[in-house]
Amino acid sequence: MKKVFITGGSGVVGSALARFLSRDYRVFASYNRSPPKPFEGVEFVQLDITDRGAVSSVVRSLNPEIIVHAAALKDVRFCEANPETARRVNVDGTANLASSCDAFFVYVSTDYVFDGSRGMYSEGAVPSPWTVYGKTKLQGEVEVASLCSRYAVCRTSGIYSLAEGNILQRILGSFRQGKVDSYFTDVFNSATNLGNFCRMLGRVIGLGETGTYHLAGSERISRYGFALKVADTFKFGRSLVLPLELGEARRRAELRPFDLSLDIAQSQKRLGIGFFGVEEGLAEIKNEADALKGNI
Ligand SMILES: NC(=O)c1ccc[n+]([C@@H]2O[C@H](COP(=O)([O-])OP(=O)(O)OC[C@H]3O[C@@H](n4cnc5c(N)ncnc54)[C@H](OP(=O)(O)O)[C@@H]3O)[C@@H](O)[C@H]2O)c1
């Protein structure tokens, strides 16, 4: 069985990837400050990716054929207020890992590498981030491309799942309390079902080909449009969802690019699997939750 080492194993994306990939690989996953609850099929190690010596010794001892690098500081406001810390984790941490061995290196990146002025960015579009988060993630991409002989840069967008703190969980929490809330009509992305993302990334590993991939939902959608679809799928009233136009000045001040949607056509063709639209993605989550608990 091939060995995969996943960083960010205590995070939303890394933990889901660890579970998913453990079906086909021997999986090691790292955490930094938050030890995850153990789960079968995944061996956890503590690792601060900014510690170059520790990265080198952990990677050398695990000797994986594949590294999936999902650890990052991804809180856009925190990164803006702490650019040095963001750079140390998102750039230096990535370089430490990318230079640690000659495994196939899969870097989980983001739609924030684009400026968001027009949306539907293809894999070949020129990135021009304006947030510290976006700039450091883009520099991470550059480090990977210069340090690894075989690598995949996998950009995704607005991951949703029932994980604690996730946008979907927050919207459902608000609905359950019967709260009427406002959702932005002028902030767009390519909302991505987490399970679908894991399957896409599994295909990228199977393919083993160097390149840039857009692993995201197939639909450009506003926060408002997303909230309406959540209401429909989970059978809450649409009256709980109000439209709110932020406007350019507030978007800028709140570090919310206008349109970060990703064009996935090329990656979908290359990987040969379905990339979900929002209705399909939400329906899958609802069905899984219903099957597990009876109801949510
Ligand atoms: N979530 C999204 O909507 C989204 C969209 C686009 C791209 N992405 C990308 O997807 C990746 C994962 O995001 P996520 O949502 O899973 O984030 P998350 O839930 O915030 O998890 C971040 C992970 O990074 C780890 N980490 C942070 N600093 C570290 C350090 N110094 N050393 C080692 N590990 C460190 C954390 O470990 P501890 O908690 O143990 O400290 C945690 O496991 C990121 O690269 C992000 O850029 C996410």
Side-chain angles (χ1 to χ4, degrees), residues 8 10-13 32-34 47-49 70 72 74 133 137 159:
S10 47
V12 171
V13 173
N32 184 30
R33 292 187 181 157
S34 332
L47 178 65
D48 179 348
I49 59 168
K74 68 134 210 249
Y133 169 61
K137 289 294 290 186
I159 294 274

